[in-house]
Amino acid sequence: MPTPHPPHPPYPPPGGVAGESDDDLAGRLRGRPDGEAARSAALLMARHWPPVHEYAVICLAARSDVASMVTAAAFHQVLDRLALGEPATALRPTLLVRVRDMIREWSAEDRISGVLPDLGKPAGGRGMRAAKFMTPENRKLAERSFQALPGLARCVLWHTEVEAEPIAVPAALLGMDTDTASAALEQAREKFREGCVHAHRELAPTKDCRFYNRLLDVPIRRGGALLPDVQQHLAECSYCRFAAEQLSHFEGGLGVLLAEAVLGWGARRYLESRSGRTESGPRARGGARHGGGRRGLLSRIPTPGRRPPEGQRPSRVLLTGVGLASAGLIAGVLATNLWSDDDGAEPIASSSASEGGRSASGGVATSPPGTAQLPIIPRQSRLRNVGADLCLDIRGEVRKGAGTELEACSDAETQKWTYEVDGLLRSAADPDLCLDSHVDAGVVVLGACADDKNKRADDVRYDITVQGELLTRWDEQLALTSTNGTADADIVVKVRDGSDQERWVTDRVSPSAGALSVPETGRPSARAVGGPV
């Protein structure tokens, strides 16, 4: 079997037939005369033989003729599939995986391994044969996500991140200009990350793991600290700990993550063998862009035996605290502690609170133990977080699905909200949209305001405790808070712990900004009912 080591570069020079894309050359294998098909096959081998052969040497732990035999056989199988119509848009990782699997298969065949002793090395074929899986357990999400990507995305990611080649290389392999390839790389990184997050949710072994899905992703994406209960969960759950570690690679280069997810066996040695790394160091584009944030984040991911840095784990038991308090006392505390701030901001609870929790419209709303309904006449007001001293705002365009965040308090329309007697928190910027805490795995976004007969009614409704906590009706143990209490921090829901980060008060909105006035009721205010402020 001829196994020449081709002298050609591992990527196509521009122009001419040699500059055709891998997929163009693969198309010439289909139904063409033998001479033309052989020429296209030779060009594909010229482009990809050196790294594939090098990986065969790594997998065998021996530089011998067997490496050339395995490489040639892998090319033969892959080229046969291309001739039958399989796309060639991500040929390099396909060839590498075929080499790995072929060595494993050959080492398991006594009649082959008997005549090729190099297959029996413990660090090579014999070790691969004994391994239960080729992909490590802590790379399963990345493997699933990468395999689900389109071939174009896999190609640009692999050649820039793993092979450490300039963007011109995958651009030539794909038959496109470098600007288009650069844009494709940006999209590929984002789709790869989204796939990892989706895989974590889809494969989650427990309900808790699914719940922490976005609470894990959002802080890592923004480089912030993980919430204490998320850190506690990571200390106890290897599945989510592995997920956090995989997501952390997106702060820098993806070379290690991709190589270990796709190849597994010998991945680090293959990375070290790439000329783009050995000549000028790692070219992973994310490393320079993100300034090495990965190391700092990894140090904050709990490991077994290491407790999270902050305090005691919040109890999952809903503490009522004031379940036996009278309606009058609740109204007073509500007016002074929740709907006014220390500077005397305008309360928006009406005196109807003192009348057994009856709303201004005459109805009586029901609330779970330990919560006090908000018996108000609907009006617009800002919601200020006590712990952060920042206000609830809408991120970007006001539309369904838009995220929410903490921002410096202002008269912006996106910071005005109306809490209604049925528990809806409605946006003044678009009255058809309400805060939805259930559509995006605990990350609070804008969603359609559902009526109480809708199956998603509880997803957009909240009950308010006398401490100023906003509890979701779909799970009374969860309270509205933010990821880290700083400006731009995402609004999320987490297990109630009684901290100031979960307390909210209303701020007066200036009349000039279009705030609604409180209608005169002719009754004493709730502040008066509750006693001194």
Side-chain angles (χ1 to χ4, degrees):
M1 182 180 298
T3 56
H5 194 294
H8 304 278
Y11 53 80
V17 175
E20 291 177 303
S21 71
D22 278 359
D23 217 27
D24 288 338
L25 291 174
R28 295 178 181 274
L29 300 176
R30 303 160 195 159
R32 299 300 180 103
D34 288 346
E36 189 173 352
R39 184 167 176 264
S40 297
L43 285 170
L44 288 172
M45 292 180 71
R47 293 176 177 182
H48 299 287
W49 179 282
V52 176
H53 180 269
E54 184 63 31
Y55 184 53
V57 171
I58 291 170
C59 289
L60 287 165
R63 188 174 291 276
S64 65
D65 289 342
V66 178
S68 295
M69 293 172 63
V70 171
T71 306
F75 268 96
H76 179 70
Q77 288 191 3
V78 172
L79 293 177
D80 278 351
R81 295 205 301 264
L82 297 182
L84 294 174
E86 188 172 296
T89 46
L91 195 54
R92 181 71 56 80
T94 300
L95 286 163
L96 294 170
V97 170
R98 185 78 285 258
V99 160
R100 181 200 69 189
D101 292 346
M102 184 164 285
I103 292 174
R104 194 182 190 199
E105 292 164 6
W106 283 13
S107 66
E109 290 281 346
D110 292 339
R111 62 191 181 89
I112 299 179
S113 59
V115 296
L116 299 175
D118 284 343
L119 292 170
K121 294 195 173 186
R126 193 169 77 186
M128 295 173 70
R129 177 182 178 180
K132 188 175 181 180
F133 301 108
M134 288 291 96
T135 303
E137 188 65 27
N138 65 344
R139 293 293 178 260
K140 293 294 186 183
L141 304 184
E143 178 194 31
R144 183 184 177 104
S145 176
F146 185 77
Q147 296 304 331
L149 290 174
L152 185 152
R154 282 183 279 127
C155 180
V156 294
L157 278 175
W158 187 267
H159 283 274
T160 56
E161 301 287 355
V162 178
E163 304 290 338
E165 294 169 333
I167 192 64
V169 174
L173 294 173
L174 292 165
M176 61 176 58
D177 60 77
T178 55
D179 288 342
T180 304
S182 297
L185 177 60
E186 291 292 334
Q187 295 176 6
R189 284 178 64 92
E190 185 60 31
K191 286 184 178 295
F192 182 40
R193 183 188 188 108
E194 290 175 359
C196 290
V197 175
H198 182 74
H200 173 260
R201 183 171 64 250
E202 291 297 308
L203 302 177
T206 69
K207 181 180 178 181
D208 279 350
C209 295
R210 286 190 294 274
F211 171 74
Y212 286 117
N213 178 257
R214 289 301 301 278
L215 297 182
L216 191 65
D217 172 51
V218 171
I220 292 176
R221 182 185 291 269
R222 299 189 177 280
L226 299 174
L227 292 168
D229 52 330
V230 177
Q231 296 181 44
Q232 176 64 39
H233 178 73
L234 294 188
E236 300 171 352
C237 175
S238 61
Y239 174 79
C240 289
R241 191 164 59 250
F242 291 158
E245 192 273 333
Q246 288 170 85
L247 290 173
S248 72
H249 284 268
F250 287 86
E251 291 187 277
L254 295 174
V256 171
L257 178 66
L258 280 169
E260 292 183 345
V262 176
L263 303 179
W265 191 273
R268 296 276 182 148
R269 284 173 289 164
Y270 181 76
L271 276 175
E272 293 167 0
S273 75
R274 309 323 305 135
S275 59
R277 297 176 184 277
T278 56
E279 292 173 4
S280 58
R283 296 179 54 108
R285 56 172 284 289
R289 178 180 178 182
H290 295 279
R294 174 178 172 266
R295 178 175 298 179
L297 179 66
L298 286 178
S299 67
R300 301 196 298 272
I301 296 177
T303 56
R306 185 177 79 186
R307 304 293 291 179
E310 296 188 37
Q312 183 176 345
R313 185 185 184 187
S315 170
R316 296 193 65 89
V317 179
L318 182 64
L319 303 178
T320 61
V322 292
L324 300 179
S326 68
L329 178 59
I330 289 177
V333 178
L334 180 65
T336 57
N337 291 350
L338 172 57
W339 299 107
S340 62
D341 60 16
D342 294 337
D343 296 324
E346 183 180 11
I348 56 175
S350 77
S351 60
S352 60
S354 64
E355 300 178 4
R358 185 168 298 277
S359 72
S361 60
V364 178
T366 58
S367 300
T371 65
Q373 67 174 26
L374 182 64
I376 63 168
I377 296 172
R379 57 157 297 152
Q380 295 171 7
S381 181
R382 287 189 298 256
L383 279 173
R384 181 165 56 84
N385 184 268
V386 173
D389 198 29
L390 297 167
C391 285
L392 177 63
D393 204 343
I394 298 169
R395 186 184 299 280
E397 181 185 353
V398 180
R399 58 176 176 79
K400 185 178 179 180
T404 53
E405 62 182 351
L406 288 179
E407 276 296 345
C409 297
S410 70
D411 282 340
E413 197 73 10
T414 54
Q415 290 191 10
K416 299 173 190 175
W417 305 90
T418 299
Y419 186 94
E420 302 181 356
V421 290
D422 57 2
L424 290 173
L425 267 170
R426 191 182 298 271
S427 169
D430 186 339
D432 292 330
L433 299 177
C434 292
L435 286 186
D436 191 323
S437 61
H438 205 182
V439 71
D440 199 8
V443 178
V444 179
V445 300
L446 288 182
C449 299
D451 59 44
D452 56 8
K453 295 180 181 178
N454 191 294
K455 64 180 181 180
R456 298 200 67 248
D458 287 347
D459 298 346
V460 291
R461 283 170 167 75
Y462 304 83
D463 288 303
I464 301 173
T465 71
V466 293
Q467 287 82 20
E469 300 155 306
L470 288 162
L471 306 184
T472 66
R473 288 196 180 175
W474 60 273
D475 188 337
E476 297 165 7
Q477 301 179 42
L478 303 178
L480 204 72
T481 184
S482 68
T483 52
N484 56 32
T486 61
D488 295 331
D490 291 276
I491 303 300
V492 297
V493 291
K494 62 181 288 289
V495 177
R496 181 189 183 197
D497 62 14
S499 66
D500 282 350
Q501 283 67 37
E502 295 176 357
R503 292 182 55 224
W504 301 85
V505 295
T506 59
D507 272 352
R508 178 185 290 111
V509 179
S510 66
S512 61
L516 299 179
S517 61
V518 179
E520 294 294 334
T521 63
R523 299 170 179 167
S525 70
R527 184 187 297 268
V529 173
V533 177

